[in-house]
């Protein structure tokens, strides 16, 4: 404290699920009135309020993930794809920026499921999702999603047809 010209400090841990997530830290300059026990109690209350807000934000994030992602692939789900396409089309109406959509349907999934079991089919779907994710990873604002059992879509706002074709070809390779 002395090196920083501080006369007193109060620190209260921010606890989340029984673990220290961070800390609330306040100081006063040298020569100012030192923190009191009441100040320490206030810091503890404030850290509890912060912890509650952080926990709520994390729960909201988890719910949002469940609402908008496909549990098998980790890609966006149909709801998220529909919303992204709707936003892109609204932007198109306003700005005239192009919107491209790449659709993919996995061939042979029924055969894999029937002959090798659903776990093999799930592996096939996940490997397709990985290829789609890699193909879209460097395209700004691209959203890749699984919209049905073996159907995928990639929404490409502000992407021309030639770039969309390159994305589609990189999925196939």
């Amino acid at each position: 404290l002395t090196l920083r010209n501080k006369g007193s400090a109060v620190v209260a841990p921010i606890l989340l699920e029984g673990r220290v997530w961070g800390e609330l830290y306040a100081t006063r300059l040298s020569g100012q009135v030192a923190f009191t026990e009441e100040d320490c109690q206030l810091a503890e209350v404030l850290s509890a309020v912060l912890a509650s807000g952080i926990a709520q934000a994390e729960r909201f994030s988890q719910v949002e993930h469940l609402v908008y992602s496909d549990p098998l692939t980790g890609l966006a789900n149909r709801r998220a794809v529909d919303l992204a396409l709707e936003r892109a089309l609204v932007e198109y109406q306003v700005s005239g920026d192009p919107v491209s959509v790449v659709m993919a349907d996995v061939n042979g999934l029924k055969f894999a499921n029937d002959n090798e079991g659903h776990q093999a089919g799930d592996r096939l779907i996940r490997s397709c999702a990985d290829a789609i994710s890699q193909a879209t990873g460097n395209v700004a604002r691209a959203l890749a999603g699984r919209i049905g059992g073996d159907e995928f879509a990639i929404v490409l706002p502000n992407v021309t047809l030639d770039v969309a074709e390159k994305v589609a070809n990189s999925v196939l390779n």
Side-chain angles (χ1 to χ4, degrees):
L1 291 173
T2 305
L3 292 174
R4 300 202 188 301
N5 194 29
K6 305 295 182 185
S8 65
V10 62
V11 180
I14 299 172
L15 301 174
L16 219 59
E17 297 178 4
R19 296 185 354 213
V20 176
W21 181 89
E23 63 185 15
L24 174 69
Y25 179 76
T27 61
R28 288 194 174 150
L29 293 172
S30 293
Q32 290 184 323
V33 176
F35 286 109
T36 65
E37 182 61 32
E38 288 176 350
D39 294 325
C40 293
Q41 291 172 359
L42 177 61
E44 289 176 358
V45 169
L46 288 174
S47 73
V49 170
L50 285 170
S52 175
I54 293 165
Q56 184 174 2
E58 286 185 356
R59 280 191 294 279
F60 179 77
S61 178
Q62 290 168 348
V63 168
E64 186 176 42
H65 178 75
L66 291 171
V67 168
Y68 293 114
S69 68
D70 175 61
L72 179 62
T73 64
L75 295 178
N77 63 14
R78 184 181 187 127
R79 178 182 294 120
V81 169
D82 288 346
L83 288 172
L85 182 56
E86 186 178 315
R87 280 191 299 270
L89 291 174
V90 167
E91 286 180 26
Y92 165 75
Q93 289 174 338
V94 172
S95 68
D97 290 338
V99 177
S100 297
V101 177
V102 175
M103 302 290 296
D105 188 316
V106 178
N107 292 329
L109 181 63
K110 180 171 176 20
F111 180 82
N113 282 336
D114 290 347
N115 293 308
E116 299 176 37
H118 287 280
Q119 289 179 338
D122 287 353
R123 283 192 304 273
L124 177 61
I125 288 172
R126 281 193 294 271
S127 67
C128 291
D130 290 345
I132 290 169
S133 183
Q134 288 179 3
T136 58
N138 292 326
V139 181
R141 298 181 56 212
L143 179 81
R146 179 174 172 221
I147 58 173
D150 64 347
E151 298 168 339
F152 296 87
I154 304 168
V155 179
L156 300 161
N158 201 22
V159 170
T160 58
L161 184 58
D162 59 321
V163 173
E165 188 175 359
K166 288 177 186 173
V167 169
N169 286 329
S170 67
V171 170
L172 297 174
N173 295 329

